[in-house]
């Protein structure tokens, strides 16, 4: 309604006040009148304000092709503009009679001797209105200006209508005068009627005579010193009995005491749909909607000789008939207003709660009946003109809080007013109405084009002639043609029903009928097209027919048209029709009976004596008998099929004949029916026939729908986001899919690319996102030729598919469904649509002011029962009590210290497993309901949701709150100190109950909100910490002791489940969307980062580029992040040298001077946190390849990470950093530093138990210790540590860390020869890895499977073929090419497997790949393991080669092998677990060099897997060699 510093409505108005705000005082304070129209006259002054430029603005906006958006903008501009004028008129004591179109009419009712004073008052009001609001500049370049007219004298008022609905009219000469004055005025002018000029104090008025005895133009008022206008104003107020007495409201009518009689009187003046909303207590802001309606404007012009009382009776008679006809058809008579020569009636079809799919046809039919009635029954009628338009409009409340009206605004409303004058004496309609009515074209006549003021392109106009029977048949056609390029999808069951009926018709010689039933757009017509093709292929004669709703009203129409098609007279010229029919009937029907078909087929056979003596009933029976006789003879020659689309529109007589035909003639009938359409008795009897079968059409499968989308778009692949968009909105309906695809193409939302098969590493972030989407794209098998280009499509980066508006046709379908529900259910769905596809009951109740919990639950259960909504869990019950109530109010009032704890308690209540969570069962309904809201109201509701959710946007209670991005709020700082003002801060209350509880602006949280809570928690846990641990055993004992606590107060971490996943889904993700809609981009970006961090944290997958194999890009992004964090990382070796010197000496000095205060600079803490993460990523990236240059960069990154961590006053981060440095030192072979960092991490770990973050650090440390013990050869202790770490990882739901622990567990169990445990570990690893399709994790898994295959004593986890297929499919992907350590082990294991089968060419293939990888590995566990497998390949090759090849290649291979052994011992010093085994391998090679006998017992213990493997390899090789010889 209004914005800015205007009057504010109280949150709860009584019903009388809400009704009075919609009506003038003339109605509110009138005396009760009788049922017949009665005239009441009074003296008064009329003020008419005409807003010029409004229609031109509508026309300009309509050219932008964003119709609904522009209508919303238009309504907002008009309401904002007119509300100021309304409030100004009310301040001067005026009574707003109506706001019709762009004209406001106000009245001051006084006695005759007070007219001159009131005219002066109204003139002053008019001058101020012109001064303040005379011109309004819009951004579109079209100015709005005012033309004001004044008249004074005797005003007649009359109430027309009945006991249910009444309308106020003001009539008389002075009403005509004010309209004349408006027309004579130019923009920014005020014109007084001649009578008003004669009655005023003329000496005070500076005027210009425009026309003698007609009007004068007011220029100014002469207010001299002796004239005090304030005193004159007070004097005039005494003349106005209903002027406001309180400064809190602008109208006395809003302060009346409750009065049931008055309420009943006022209700008669309000439309039905609006009354329902008022009775339900809906705020006026919730009433307005953007929807498509059909507007009917009826103009009745009377002869001037008609007396005024007689004129009122004519209007009464017309109003009663019009309202009756319109309401029966589903419309409403909105208002009646007078003009100079008569009156107009504005009717609207499709208002909220009254939408019908055939409203255009109903409007046309009603208009023609009204047109005929007015001409035939209303005397003194000079001219009747009716115009009908259809299109989107704003239907809602405009005006001020104290006085507003429910109206419709839009280009189609302006067009209908222009059409009445452009096409007088006709029932005219626009082209949209003509097309959507689906009425036969012969009911219309095209009208000539006419120029209409301020409408540049009115379009084609038609005259409606009424539903008269035309001399023509229906046409043979089907609405859809079979698509030759693409097969019919998911219709096997339906086609099988047709084939069964076909066989029954052939073999049993009985008629068969198959009726397919389905909703609109489910593919019925496409199915008929397929059946048409199959039938013609089988040699059937097919008679196709498509019916319309109007056909059901014509007697015997369906059979008439079918037989006309059968006789082939429907397409022949009229002059040849009779001869053609005669040829068809000759020899079948007797000649004297041919005249029976005269009326049916529009021919003129001579009437025979026999026929002339038949009555109508006998003739009808004879015609049917002849038809059966003709069809019987025809089916003996060729089988017949009737294909009837939209068979529910078959008339009753045709249904009866079809039933008779089915039982007597072997004809196959195939029909389609629309679900939920009420069939006539004849149709129901037909369906009960044993020869008729009803087949429901199933929905398309999701994969079939996506295939259809690919065909529509002309691509072979679509991205994941487009898949979700189509599946959610299409509801597996093929028509919806086609419309949505065409809509996306028309809006230029999709981008098309050539299909590319390469998988190269990208160095740009933009191409990385495209590559990420490629892995989740739906693809189809191309059906085109090889030389034709294939395309894939992606969505434009600047487009969010969730905010793309529905195509108009789909919105109409959904709105039709929505309007079938009750008014309360509609409001609930509209509010739920703002929240999102899924929503929480408590947030929904927050958006429904005044709704009790019981009422909310009752409406929700009703919607669940009809499957409009559904619970997220099948067994879920809607909670009877609120889990979270008014958080945005209660939390604001709490102190800072109490606030975080209360938030965490509220979160725990809210995020119980899916409690109170529902989602839309018909997703299309959600989008349509959301689009009904005007933009301004959308923003207000999204803002309310954002404020509600903002208080919950932090980690859950078990994680001790805080940001998902560590210290995020400290990094961004407080927006309260920002010079920029939030939109929320400038948003002012306009009477909406939504915003009463909001006291602060929407913004990121403040650092102090959680600081005190975190420090308090830290101190409480610090008291529980023991002395620092010194050994691994002490650390493990401490872990076991703390995990064994059972006290509820102490067991803070292990008794409360984590709800961060629910917070991500229900708070952070929706909160980001809400902030974007409200325009709060800063807050949206903040919560987007929080949501991304939460998603990565829950998936435990931080290194996105790293995991995707984009190593170059990962390095680039990490460097860029460090630059932004003011921590530069060098690019050259000299820079590395210089930076290393600074980090060793200068940085340590600067750290020693660090202030002791832990809260000195929270922003520095946040920056240090991010620096540590970036540096950790950098050394991992540079450690992937063991080159000297990479080693320098990796060492520097590790050193910088250590320094940053030590500068960080967070023990958890310090522990994590020492764990990282320990891992790095092990990788590069620095044993001393490796063990030293591990000891430091253990010592610092005692302070890390007060939070979930600390528990995660402990799990990382335990994994690192298990890794260390494995490398050192302490396998039992490694397994023990691994299982303990595994327990914590599963509690924390950290799958990536869990996979690392499982890898360590497997390797420890494998080296201990606990192969059963190995299989168990691998099964758990597969369960984790297969869910996310982690290529790197799968590579580790299959590498372990290969180890089991080679050495596992017959145990099998995966077959060799599966392992080989995976490697062959992914070995060239950039993910695995960057992982040299893992791939070295994989390739060596594959080489050994092929060697055992004597497939030496494959051995050489994989062994050569291993040779290329060995130089790029490091001393890590995977690198050492791969090196060992590589050395085993060498040994196997040397010992298994036959003598004839040995002497030729041995010297070179032997020396190279010894060099590899030397390199292993120098590189892998930090992995001594393999040293003994490698020493034995080396000894075997040395013996091989001396040509000693190669006894297995001389090489390795007999019970090892390698020995058995080598024996098998030797035997296979000998067998193969023997065969070759």
């Amino acid at each position: 309604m209004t914005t800015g510093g205007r009057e504010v409505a109280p949150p709860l108005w009584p019903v009388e006040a809400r009704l009075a705000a919609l009506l003038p005082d003339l109605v509110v304070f009138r005396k009760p009148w009788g049922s017949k129209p009665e005239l009441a006259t009074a003296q008064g002054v009329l003020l008419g304000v005409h807003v010029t430029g409004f229609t031109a603005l509508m026309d300009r906006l309509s050219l932008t092709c964003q119709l609904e958006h522009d209508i919303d903008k238009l309504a907002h501009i008009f309401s904002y503009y007119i509300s100021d004028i309304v409030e100004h008129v009310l301040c001067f004591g005026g009574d707003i009679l109506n706001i019709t179109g762009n004209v406001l009419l106000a009245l001051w009712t006084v006695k005759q001797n007070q007219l001159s004073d009131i005219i002066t008052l109204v003139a002053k009001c008019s001058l101020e209105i012109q001064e303040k609001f005379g011109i309004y500049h819009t951004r579109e370049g079209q100015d709005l200006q005012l033309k004001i007219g004044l008249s004074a004298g005797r005003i007649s008022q009359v109430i027309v209508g009945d006991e249910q609905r009444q309308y106020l009219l003001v009539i008389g000469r002075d009403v005509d005068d004010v309209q004349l004055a408006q027309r004579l005025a130019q923009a920014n002018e005020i014109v007084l009627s001649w009578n008003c000029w004669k009655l005023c104090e003329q000496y005070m008025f500076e005027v210009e005579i425009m026309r003698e005895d007609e009007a004068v133009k007011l220029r100014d008022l002469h207010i001299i010193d002796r004239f005090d206008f304030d005193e004159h104003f007070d004097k005039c107020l005494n003349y106005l009995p209903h002027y406001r007495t309180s400064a809190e409201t602008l109208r006395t009518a809003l302060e009346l005491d409750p009065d049931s009689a008055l309420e009943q009187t006022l209700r008669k003046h309000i439309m039905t749909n609006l009354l329902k909303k008022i009775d339900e207590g809906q705020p006026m802001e919730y009433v307005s909607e953007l929807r498509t309606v059909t507007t009917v404007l009826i103009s009745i012009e009377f002869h001037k000789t008609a007396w005024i009382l007689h004129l009122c009776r004519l209007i009464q008679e017309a109003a009663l008939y019009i309202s009756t006809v319109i309401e029966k058809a589903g419309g409403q008579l909105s208002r009646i207003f007078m003009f100079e020569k008569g009156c107009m009636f504005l009717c609207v079809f499709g208002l909220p709660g009254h939408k019908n799919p055939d409203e255009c046809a109903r409007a046309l039919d009603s208009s023609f009946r009204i047109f005929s009635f007015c001409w035939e029954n209303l005397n003194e009628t000079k001219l009747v003109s009716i115009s009908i338009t259809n299109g989107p409009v704003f239907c809602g409340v405009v005006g001020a809080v104290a006085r507003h009206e429910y109206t419709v605004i839009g280009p189609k409303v302006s067009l209908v007013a222009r059409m009445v004058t452009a096409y007088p004496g006709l029932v005219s309609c626009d082209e949209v109405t003509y097309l959507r009515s689906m009425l036969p074209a012969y009911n219309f006549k095209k009208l000539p084009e006419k120029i209409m003021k301020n409408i540049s392109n009115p379009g084609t106009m038609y005259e409606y002639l009424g539903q008269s029977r035309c001399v023509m048949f229906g046409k043979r056609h089907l609405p859809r043609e079979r698509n030759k390029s693409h097969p019919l999808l998911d219709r096997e069951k339906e086609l099988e029903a047709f084939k069964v009926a076909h066989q029954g018709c052939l073999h049993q010689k009985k008629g068969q009928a198959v009726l397919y039933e389905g909703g609109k757009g489910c593919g019925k017509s496409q199915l008929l097209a397929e059946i048409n093709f199959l039938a013609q292929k089988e040699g059937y004669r097919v008679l196709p027919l498509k019916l319309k709703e109007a056909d059901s009203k014509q007697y015997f129409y369906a059979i008439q048209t079918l037989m006309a098609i059968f006789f082939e007279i429907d397409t022949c010229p009229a002059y040849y029709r009779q001869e053609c029919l005669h040829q068809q009937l000759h020899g079948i029907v007797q000649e004297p009976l041919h005249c029976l078909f005269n009326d049916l087929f529009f021919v003129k056979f001579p009437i025979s004596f026999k026929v002339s003596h038949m009555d109508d009933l006998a003739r009808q029976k004879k015609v049917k008998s002849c038809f059966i006789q003709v069809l019987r003879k025809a089916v003996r020659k060729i089988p017949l099929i009737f294909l009837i689309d939209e068979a529910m529109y078959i008339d009753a007589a045709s249904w009866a004949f079809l039933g008779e035909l089915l039982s007597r003639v072997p004809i196959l009938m195939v029909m389609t029916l629309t679900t939920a359409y009420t069939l006539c008795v004849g149709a129901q009897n037909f369906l009960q026939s044993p020869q008729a079968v009803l087949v429901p059409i199933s929905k398309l499968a999701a994969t079939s729908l996506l295939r259809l989308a690919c065909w529509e778009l002309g691509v072979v692949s679509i991205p994941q986001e487009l898949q979700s968009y189509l599946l959610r909105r299409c509801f597996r309906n093929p028509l919806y899919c086609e419309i949505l695809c065409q809509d996306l193409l028309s809006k230029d939302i999709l981008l098309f690319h050539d299909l590319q098969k390469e998988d190269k590493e990208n160095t740009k972030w933009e191409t990385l996102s495209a590559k990420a989407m490629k892995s989740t794209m739906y693809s189809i098998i191309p059906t085109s030729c090889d030389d034709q280009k294939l395309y894939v499509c992606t969505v434009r980066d600047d487009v969010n598919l969730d905010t793309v508006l529905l195509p108009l046709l789909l919105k109409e379908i959904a709105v039709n469904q929505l309007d079938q529900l009750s008014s309360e259910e509609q409001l609930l769905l509209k509010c739920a649509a703002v929240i999102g596809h899924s929503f929480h009951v408590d947030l929904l109740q927050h958006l429904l002011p005044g709704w009790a919990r019981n009422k909310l639950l009752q409406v929700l259960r009703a919607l669940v029962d009809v499957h409009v909504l559904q619970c997220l869990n099948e067994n879920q019950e809607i909670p009877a009590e609120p889990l979270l109530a008014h958080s945005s109010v209660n939390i604001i009032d709490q102190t800072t210290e109490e606030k975080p704890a209360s938030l965490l308690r509220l979160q725990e209540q809210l995020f119980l497993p899916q409690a109170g969570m529902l989602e839309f069962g018909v997703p299309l309904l959600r989008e349509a309901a959301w689009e009904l809201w005007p933009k301004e109201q959308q923003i207000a509701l999204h803002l309310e949701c954002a404020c509600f959710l903002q208080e919950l946007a932090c980690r859950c209670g078990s994680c001790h709150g805080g940001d998902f991005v560590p210290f995020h709020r400290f990094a961004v700082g407080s927006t309260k100190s920002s010079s920029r003002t939030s939109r929320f801060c400038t948003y002012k209350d306009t009477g909406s109950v939504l915003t009463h509880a909001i006291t602060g602006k929407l913004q990121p949280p403040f650092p102090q909100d959680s600081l005190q809570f975190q420090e308090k928690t830290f101190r409480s846990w610090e008291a529980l910490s023991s002395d620092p641990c010194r050994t691994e055993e002490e650390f493990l004992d401490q872990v076991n002791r703390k995990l064994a606590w059972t006290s509820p107060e102490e067991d803070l971490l292990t008794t409360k489940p984590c709800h961060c996943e629910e917070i991500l889904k229900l708070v952070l993700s929706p909160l980001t969307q809400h902030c974007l809609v409200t325009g709060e981009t800063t807050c949206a970006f903040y919560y987007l980062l929080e949501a991304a961090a939460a998603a990565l944290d829950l998936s435990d997958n931080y290194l996105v580029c790293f995991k995707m194999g984009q190593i170059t890009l990962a390095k680039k992004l990490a460097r860029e992040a460090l630059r932004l964090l003011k921590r530069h990382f060098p690019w050259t070796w000299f820079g590395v040298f210089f930076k290393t010197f600074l980090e060793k000496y200068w940085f340590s000095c600067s750290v020693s001077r660090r202030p002791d205060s832990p809260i000195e600079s929270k922003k520095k803490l946040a920056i240090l946190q991010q620096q540590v993460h970036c540096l950790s990523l950098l050394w991992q990236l540079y450690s992937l390849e063991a080159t000297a240059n990479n080693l320098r960069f990796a060492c520097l990154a590790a050193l910088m990470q250590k320094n940053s961590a030590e500068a960080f006053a967070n023990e958890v981060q310090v522990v994590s950093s020492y764990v990282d440095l320990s891992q790095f030192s092990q990788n590069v072979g620095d044993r001393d530093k490796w063990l030293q960092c591990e000891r430091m991490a253990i010592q610092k770990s005692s302070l890390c138990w007060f939070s979930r973050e600390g528990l995660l650090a402990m799990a990382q440390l335990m994994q690192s210790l298990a890794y260390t013990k494995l490398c050192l050869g302490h396998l039992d202790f490694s397994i023990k540590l691994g299982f303990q770490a595994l327990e914590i990882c599963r509690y924390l739901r950290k799958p990536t860390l869990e996979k690392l622990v499982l890898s360590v567990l497997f390797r420890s169990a494998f080296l201990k020869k606990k192969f059963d445990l190995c299989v168990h570990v691998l099964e758990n690893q597969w369960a984790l890895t297969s869910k996310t399709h982690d290529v790197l994790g799968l590579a580790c898994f299959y590498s372990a499977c290969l180890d089991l295959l080679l050495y596992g004593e017959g145990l099998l986890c995966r077959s060799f073929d599966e392992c080989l297929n995976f490697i062959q499919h992914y070995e060239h992907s950039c993910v695995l090419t960057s992982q040299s350590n893992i791939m070295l082990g994989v390739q060596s294991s594959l080489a050994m497997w092929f060697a055992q089968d004597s497939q030496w060419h494959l051995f050489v293939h994989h062994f050569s790949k291993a040779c290329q990888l060995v130089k790029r590995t490091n001393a890590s566990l995977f690198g050492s393991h791969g090196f060992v497998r590589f050395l085993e390949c060498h040994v196997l090759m040397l010992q298994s080669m036959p003598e004839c090849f040995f002497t030729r290649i041995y010297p070179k291979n032997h020396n190279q092998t010894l060099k590899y052994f030397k390199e292993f011992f120098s590189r892998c010093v930090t992995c001594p677990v393999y040293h003994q085994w490698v020493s034995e391998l080396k000894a075997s090679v040395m013996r091989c060099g001396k040509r000693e006998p190669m006894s297995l017992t001389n090489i390795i213990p007999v019970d090892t897997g390698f020995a058995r493997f080598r024996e098998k390899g030797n035997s296979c090789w000998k067998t193969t060699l023997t065969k070759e010889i």
Side-chain angles (χ1 to χ4, degrees), residues 94-109:
D95 181 19
I96 308 296
L97 296 180
N98 56 58
I99 305 171
T100 304
N102 53 352
V103 177
L104 178 147
L105 186 63
L107 173 66
W108 282 257
T109 305

Side-chain angles (χ1 to χ4, degrees), residues 1367-1386:
I1367 300 303
Q1368 289 176 341
H1369 189 269
Y1370 287 103
E1371 66 176 330
H1372 297 299
S1373 71
C1374 51
V1375 177
L1376 294 188
T1377 53
S1378 63
Q1379 301 295 326
S1380 303
N1381 295 319
I1382 297 174
M1383 292 307 296
L1384 176 60
V1386 169

Side-chain angles (χ1 to χ4, degrees), residues 489-491 522 698-702 704-705 708 732-734:
L489 298 173
D490 288 352
R491 293 292 175 253
C522 68
S698 59
K699 296 178 180 178
L700 286 184
S704 298
L705 186 79
L708 177 63
R732 295 191 289 166
N733 186 301

Side-chain angles (χ1 to χ4, degrees), residues 161 323 465 496 549 558 569 867 875 933 1046 1151 1355 1433:
S323 62
L465 306 173
E496 183 62 28
E549 184 176 10
I569 60 174
H867 308 293
N875 300 324
W933 289 108
T1046 56
V1151 170
L1355 290 176
C1433 286

Side-chain angles (χ1 to χ4, degrees), residues 219-234:
R219 294 190 177 277
D220 200 0
L221 279 177
H222 295 294
I223 301 178
I224 57 179
D225 294 339
R226 64 183 180 85
F227 181 80
D228 187 350
F229 184 76
D230 291 337
E231 292 182 5
H232 180 78
F233 185 80
D234 294 336

Side-chain angles (χ1 to χ4, degrees), residues 16 19-20 23 27-29 261-270 275:
E16 292 85 353
L19 295 174
L23 299 170
V27 172
V28 176
F29 296 105
L262 174 62
E263 180 186 342
Q264 293 303 319
T265 301
L266 298 182
R267 292 175 69 89
K268 297 177 183 179
H269 293 265
I270 309 296
L275 272 179

Side-chain angles (χ1 to χ4, degrees), residues 135-147:
I135 184 168
Y136 182 86
H137 302 288
T138 65
R139 294 180 179 179
E140 289 71 25
Q142 176 64 52
D143 294 338
L144 301 183
Q145 295 174 289
L146 300 179
K147 298 195 302 182

